Amino acid sequence: MELIMLSGGILALPVLAFFTSFLFWPGVLLKAYNWYWRRRLGLVVRYSHSASYRFCYCSRGTPGGATPSLLLLHGFSATKDMWLPIVKHLPRDQHVVCVDMPGHEGTSRTSTEDYSIQGQVRRIHQFVQSIGLDKRPFHLVGTSMGGNVAGVYAAHYPASLSSVTLVCPAGLVYPTESEFITRLKKMEESEQEESIPLIPSTIPELEDMLKLCCYNPPNLPRQALRGLLDNRTPNNGFYKEVFMEIVGEKSRHSLQENLHLITSPVQVIWGKEDQVVDVSGAAVLQAALPNCQVALLDNCGHSVALERPRKAAKLIIDFLSAQEVSDESAKKLS
């Protein structure tokens, strides 16, 4: 009987730890969940350096397979883990690398010169060189701020790339104003100090951000929202620094200003209900890059990786396969 009671007590400990964490340290539990998900997907967290600058990334597989390596660039105030839902639907043998953008999560936090779009492009190229990803042309994927960086990277380092996917990219001149831009303009006109919609500091503000970024916002329990907030708020000062840099004159239209330099094959994926950067930007890209492939997703907002991960993964892989066929045909003709 004592042995049974002891065994029961041992089994109850993990359950007790789970509920205690959920109640008192939900942010820690969310980080543990991401660790578990990365492990299940076969992703390993690694670090690389360029002089004293440190990059944090996770990767799976090895380069040199049938398709080019994938490098995924996340958006503003996110982390490399935002790509986990998409990685789940990629082929297991696909070499994939997800990096924390400059200053985010495990990557070095330095100064504002690294947070402008050009500064981020320079740092991402250092990262590419530090892990030897440029030994063979790779496919670059970027979303939102990361899409802006990916597009400018394609303009400046075409020899490193086989192709690029821009997911709801920032950095364009949009024919139609989004809900987010409308709010920002009202904030600029108002003399009152208001919080930036993408930098929440309370649970109601976080819920508002989720409604802004998602067509169908996830219905999360209050403790999960508290965990998300606990993990974000210590970084809010940094997020504001980055935000002011990427919406400033130097970076606001970086992608638009570099479109004429992009020669790599381009794929565009955009949620039709995007309230952060309007879907009318897809037409801007199509006009500037006539051969780009555009996929507009129904019932999807700005957070494509969260709302339509399976569809996004399939679109990317199909695009890579089509590029491989095209390259083979070109070789035969030559």
Side-chain angles (χ1 to χ4, degrees):
M1 181 60 71
E2 287 177 355
L3 183 61
I4 291 170
M5 288 177 68
L6 180 62
S7 300
I10 291 170
L11 289 172
L13 282 174
V15 177
L16 181 62
F18 173 84
F19 281 107
T20 302
S21 297
F22 188 67
L23 288 172
F24 299 107
W25 304 290
V28 173
L29 190 62
L30 288 177
K31 287 184 177 181
Y33 176 71
N34 283 339
W35 172 86
Y36 169 75
W37 201 0
R38 283 195 303 268
R39 186 177 175 86
R40 191 172 178 186
L41 293 174
L43 288 163
V44 178
V45 174
R46 308 175 194 274
Y47 296 91
S48 72
H49 293 82
S50 177
S52 62
Y53 194 90
R54 184 184 78 169
F55 297 97
C56 180
Y57 67 104
C58 60
S59 64
R60 183 179 76 189
T62 54
T67 54
S69 299
L70 291 184
L71 173 59
L72 310 180
L73 308 182
H74 65 73
F76 169 74
S77 78
T79 73
K80 59 188 174 299
D81 291 335
M82 70 146 282
W83 294 109
L84 295 178
I86 284 182
V87 173
K88 177 184 176 183
H89 298 291
L90 293 174
R92 197 75 183 188
D93 60 351
Q94 173 66 53
H95 180 228
V96 58
V97 179
C98 310
V99 64
D100 284 326
M101 297 295 279
H104 290 72
E105 192 78 354
T107 292
S108 290
R109 191 168 290 182
T110 50
S111 61
T112 52
E113 66 181 21
D114 281 339
Y115 308 148
S116 69
I117 297 303
Q118 291 288 357
Q120 292 192 59
V121 168
R122 283 193 299 272
R123 286 300 188 187
I124 290 302
H125 192 56
Q126 289 173 1
F127 168 69
V128 165
Q129 293 176 315
S130 73
I131 64 169
L133 197 60
D134 57 343
K135 290 178 181 176
R136 183 172 179 253
F138 63 92
H139 181 76
L140 183 61
V141 182
T143 185
S144 195
M145 177 190 79
N148 193 351
V149 174
V152 178
Y153 187 98
H156 288 269
Y157 301 104
S160 297
L161 299 181
S162 60
S163 46
V164 60
T165 295
L166 305 178
V167 184
C168 308
L172 296 170
V173 177
Y174 304 89
T176 304
E177 200 171 86
S178 69
E179 170 67 19
F180 175 62
I181 298 301
T182 300
R183 286 200 209 176
L184 282 186
K185 286 185 175 179
K186 285 179 181 176
M187 282 175 58
E188 287 174 358
E189 292 166 5
S190 170
E191 294 183 6
Q192 292 183 338
E193 184 75 20
E194 293 183 55
S195 64
I196 297 166
L198 297 181
I199 309 178
S201 54
T202 66
I203 285 181
E205 287 176 358
L206 177 60
E207 289 174 323
D208 184 58
M209 186 189 80
L210 291 172
K211 288 175 186 174
L212 189 67
C213 293
C214 302
Y215 177 71
N216 288 306
N219 187 19
L220 300 174
R222 190 172 182 82
Q223 279 304 101
L225 291 171
R226 170 54 59 193
L228 284 172
L229 203 61
D230 287 349
N231 290 343
R232 288 180 60 92
T233 48
N235 300 300
N236 277 359
F238 161 70
Y239 294 152
K240 190 166 185 180
E241 259 192 298
V242 176
F243 184 80
M244 298 312 291
E245 197 63 34
I246 63 178
V247 300
E249 288 300 316
K250 232 177 15 174
S251 297
R252 185 177 297 180
H253 299 136
S254 291
L255 179 54
Q256 185 79 46
E257 292 161 2
N258 283 274
L259 286 177
H260 67 288
L261 297 173
I262 297 176
T263 55
S264 303
V266 175
Q267 176 187 44
V268 178
I269 302 174
W270 218 307
K272 285 185 179 180
E273 311 300 331
D274 195 333
Q275 295 186 86
V276 179
V277 286
D278 193 78
V279 67
S280 59
V284 174
L285 290 170
Q286 207 158 26
L289 307 167
N291 294 323
C292 75
Q293 291 187 22
V294 177
L296 304 182
L297 307 184
D298 294 319
N299 303 322
C300 182
H302 188 65
S303 298
V304 171
L306 182 63
E307 295 195 87
R308 302 294 295 280
R310 185 191 298 271
K311 180 66 174 177
K314 185 177 187 307
L315 285 168
I316 292 167
I317 291 302
D318 288 350
F319 182 70
L320 290 182
S321 299
Q323 293 307 310
E324 288 299 302
V325 170
S326 177
D327 289 346
E328 285 299 317
S329 299
K331 284 177 185 175
K332 287 178 181 177
L333 288 173
S334 61

